[in-house]
DNA sequence: ACCCAGTCATGAAACGATTCAAAAACACGG
DNA sequence: CCGTGTTTTTGAATCGTTTCATGACTGGGT
């Protein structure tokens, strides 16, 4: 029961393997009658193309890899959703890899993807230490587009949202609401998005002489938010508002606060980041900094294919989107 | 700047390609000194193995594919998370494919996966029409494990949760709370999980002479829940409780009701299904039927590797878990 | 009859790794 | 220095496609 190959099909149809290949790849180049005979043989034997052999010959796979920080975060699934249609309409396949905010996992994925000779890579790097690895891939002719990563002086295309500005928006909103002491929850600080959002927040706090307390978390998830809040509630003179590095953290914080009987927003306001669908459906609908998630994915894919098409004489482009604040109940002044 | 191959490494190190291969695959079989020389050459040239060639020779890839109904649904990401460690510790790689509840997309993925000669397949089929395609894969020696799919008389291993029982639990809970007219929201009915949950619910309603109204949706997401509720609010003599086919639908329904000023649970109770993390954090914490998601994934992967190991003389196993109801505010009797 | 232009089909040469029988290199006791 | 046994290395065959130069055949046009 060994898998049937083109050779078997060829024999069954009484033609050469070259002809079978042609039937599959340029059907118009083979005579009607022969084609029918070959197709019949294919159906008959239940023949299935061997992609490894195909790729080996082609030297390149049709796979576009997307490496994200956390597949369980709706922000990233939305980005992926945005990229998929474009990739597929270009005849590609998308594979999603989850680094889980872990550099070692990310590295493992990159090694594998390089061995697979992927067509291209969209990646949200865990932190700056990833740079050398990413360089390596693009040095080996695998085009890379950075997603949600600052328009730094990286030698790559990138799409990003201005996170410093996003941080400012959140902080300004809270300051306008009269808060004089704000907590920032998120981490680890090595994640660029976290650092930028905090930086923006800090700028505004300093400009407005508002006190800022930072609660670092080990990751950007539900759990982390809940735990950070526990810690915050322990301290005396506690902040009257928190700005969370993303919505998952914010939802965790919200739940933590509620469990401890702290009323949101009366006793503590919350602003999240990303504006995922769940934010609006939360126990207290969350104010959040919205990013154009699907568009981020779509644009990234577009840049990738542009780079592939332009080949050698391609100049990298860095697209930056502006975030906007969506105010909801979690920062309302009164009910 | 063509990619460097083993031949290049061999030349640089002054050995044959066979030796280079040995250094990579059975280092103990090659002399210390030679090995060092080869490794140096590899590092020097920045050589990267070509996985296509490897697979072609091996006849099989190391990839385990997981085909899910909706990657954006935390239920499935949790299942994937459960399966991953086991697969990776067995030297495999996981690739996640999203069928989006669409048979055509699912089919496209299956075709591709077969061409890729994947090591094995974990799949939650969209509906029964997928059966013949799945049969085809396993006929071609690709082991398949059905996930979250009834212990029917399929010729495969499977892991599942008793959805009929889950439906009963939900309905019983609502009946106990005194509801006499219940709505079921979910669809399409062709999805087995939906059908089973509805069946269980219907059984209980008939036993207790409780009226049941079904609102069919085109999919199992947020959006669908919100729209179904709009429709429900239109009808007179409206149900006092809804049972949603999953938590995403339930969260949508909750938002829809809230937007129309209907108080949950006083004017309308809600029970969801899956007990995803967001359920507990919802505007009104959701009562939900909990499934052991991670364990589902872990067990599925285990069954897959068992089947691979046992080879020819393998007998399929069907593991069924029991769901449990978690009661929260969305079905509370009073506040 | 002859040539030319199309159409189609062929078969061998890649692609890059793994495997394995056989050769080479080495060690060591006699 | 030989024979024997062990450790290393070699080189060719193989996996299943795609590609492309070459050749076979057809049907006009002159």
């Amino acid at each position: 029961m060994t898998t049937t190959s083109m050779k078997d099909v060829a024999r069954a149809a009484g033609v050469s393997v070259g002809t079978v290949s042609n039937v599959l790849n340029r059907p118009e180049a083979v005579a009607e009658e022969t084609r029918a005979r070959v197709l019949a043989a294919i159906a008959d034997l239940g023949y299935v193309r061997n992609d490894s052999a195909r790729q080996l010959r082609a030297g390149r796979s049709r796979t576009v890899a997307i490496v994200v920080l956390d597949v369980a975060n709706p922000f990233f699934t939305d980005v992926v959703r945005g990229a998929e249609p474009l990739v597929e309409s270009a005849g590609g396949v998308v594979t999603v890899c989850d680094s889980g905010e872990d550099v070692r996992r990310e590295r493992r994925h990159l090694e594998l993807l390089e061995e697979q000779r992927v067509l291209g890579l969209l990646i949200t790097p865990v932190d700056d230490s990833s740079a050398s690895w990413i360089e390596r891939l693009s040095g080996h002719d695998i085009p890379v587009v950075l997603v949600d990563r600052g328009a730094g002086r990286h030698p790559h295309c990138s799409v990003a949202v201005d996170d410093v500005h996003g941080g400012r928006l959140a902080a300004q909103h809270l300051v306008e609401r009269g808060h004089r002491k704000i907590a920032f929850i998120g981490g680890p600080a090595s994640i660029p998005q976290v650092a930028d959002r905090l930086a923006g927040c800090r700028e505004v706090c300093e400009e407005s002489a508002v006190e800022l307390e930072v609660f670092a978390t080990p990751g950007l998830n539900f759990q982390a938010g809940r735990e950070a809040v526990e810690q915050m509630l322990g301290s005396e003179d506690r902040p009257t508002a928190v700005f969370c590095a993303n919505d998952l953290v914010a939802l965790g914080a919200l739940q933590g606060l509620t469990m401890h009987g702290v009323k949101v927003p009366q006793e503590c306001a919350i602003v999240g980041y990303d504006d995922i669908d769940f934010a609006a459906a939360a126990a207290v609908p969350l104010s959040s900094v919205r990013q154009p998630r699907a568009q981020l994915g779509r644009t990234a894919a577009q840049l990738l294919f542009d780079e592939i098409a332009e080949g050698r004489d391609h100049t990298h482009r860095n697209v930056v989107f502006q975030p906007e604040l969506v105010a909801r109940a979690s920062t309302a002044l009164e009910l």
Side-chain angles (χ1 to χ4, degrees), chain A:
Chain A
M1 212 300 169
T2 57
T3 44
T4 66
S5 76
M6 274 184 111
K7 216 169 353 179
D8 303 313
V9 175
R11 188 168 336 119
V15 297
S16 72
V17 294
T19 301
V20 178
S21 175
N22 280 336
V23 169
L24 260 27
N25 301 310
R26 312 127 82 209
E28 75 286 356
V30 45
E32 171 86 31
E33 193 258 344
T34 326
R35 192 187 337 153
R37 200 145 35 92
V38 171
L39 288 175
I42 287 179
D44 214 43
L45 302 179
Y47 164 75
V48 178
R49 253 200 184 83
N50 183 323
D51 204 45
S52 313
R54 226 147 107 76
Q55 281 181 202
L56 171 57
R57 189 75 231 281
R60 202 70 314 144
S61 87
R62 291 167 299 155
T63 303
V64 171
I66 311 188
V67 183
V68 301
L69 293 180
D70 178 11
V71 269
N73 184 341
F75 169 76
F76 288 109
T77 56
D78 286 346
V79 172
V80 172
R81 285 265 162 86
E84 249 165 6
L86 224 149
V87 173
E88 287 178 7
S89 73
V93 196
V94 170
T95 182
V96 180
C97 304
D98 184 9
S99 66
E101 298 172 9
D102 176 354
V103 189
R104 294 160 45 90
R105 273 181 66 88
E106 180 184 70
R107 217 192 64 171
R108 205 172 115 71
H109 274 128
L110 290 180
E111 286 177 276
L112 235 41
L113 293 174
E114 189 173 8
E115 290 187 2
Q116 288 167 186
R117 304 288 193 271
V118 290
L119 184 58
L121 180 65
L122 308 186
I123 182 173
T124 302
V126 174
D127 63 34
D128 290 331
S129 73
S130 316
S132 63
W133 273 91
I134 295 178
E135 235 55 73
R136 180 184 168 125
L137 290 232
S138 65
H140 283 8
D141 279 339
I142 296 182
V144 175
V145 175
L146 299 177
V147 176
D148 202 25
R149 191 65 204 86
R153 53 274 160 274
H154 310 281
H156 304 288
C157 284
S158 70
V159 294
V161 173
D162 187 340
D163 279 325
V164 176
H165 184 60
R168 292 189 61 97
L169 285 179
Q172 269 160 5
H173 180 64
L174 291 174
V175 170
E176 277 167 17
R177 289 284 189 273
H179 296 282
R180 308 303 302 162
K181 172 155 187 186
I182 296 178
F184 176 89
I185 300 181
S190 58
I191 297 184
Q193 285 85 335
V194 175
D196 286 357
R197 290 165 198 181
L198 173 56
C201 177
R202 178 167 279 142
E203 281 175 21
V204 170
C205 287
E206 285 171 1
E207 288 162 21
S208 331
V210 161
E211 197 178 341
L212 175 66
E213 188 172 6
V214 176
F215 294 88
T217 61
L220 292 174
N221 48 47
F222 207 80
Q223 182 80 3
R226 218 159 45 189
E227 289 171 2
V229 155
E230 302 275 342
Q231 196 190 333
M232 183 179 93
L233 291 179
S235 73
E236 61 220 57
D237 182 28
R238 74 165 195 251
T240 60
V242 303
F243 168 37
C244 297
N246 78 10
D247 281 346
L248 295 185
V249 173
L251 289 171
L254 173 58
Q255 200 183 47
L257 289 173
T258 309
M259 275 169 48
H260 285 79
V262 178
K263 288 213 166 20
V264 177
Q266 295 89 334
E267 302 174 51
C268 185
I270 303 183
V271 178
Y273 207 105
D274 289 346
D275 193 33
I276 60 178
D277 287 342
F278 293 112
V284 179
L286 269 188
S287 297
S288 190
V289 178
R290 173 181 297 170
Q291 313 200 61
R293 328 179 213 92
Q295 198 176 0
L296 225 39
R298 205 175 325 125
T299 309
Q302 186 61 60
L303 290 178
L304 186 72
F305 283 108
D306 284 355
E307 178 160 355
I308 292 174
E310 295 166 15
R312 271 277 151 266
D313 46 37
H314 162 85
T315 52
H316 296 300
R317 288 195 285 147
N318 303 96
V319 180
V320 179
F321 295 99
Q322 290 304 320
E324 80 193 83
L325 187 117
V326 181
R328 296 206 184 83
S330 72
T331 55
L333 273 188
E334 49 205 284
L335 293 199

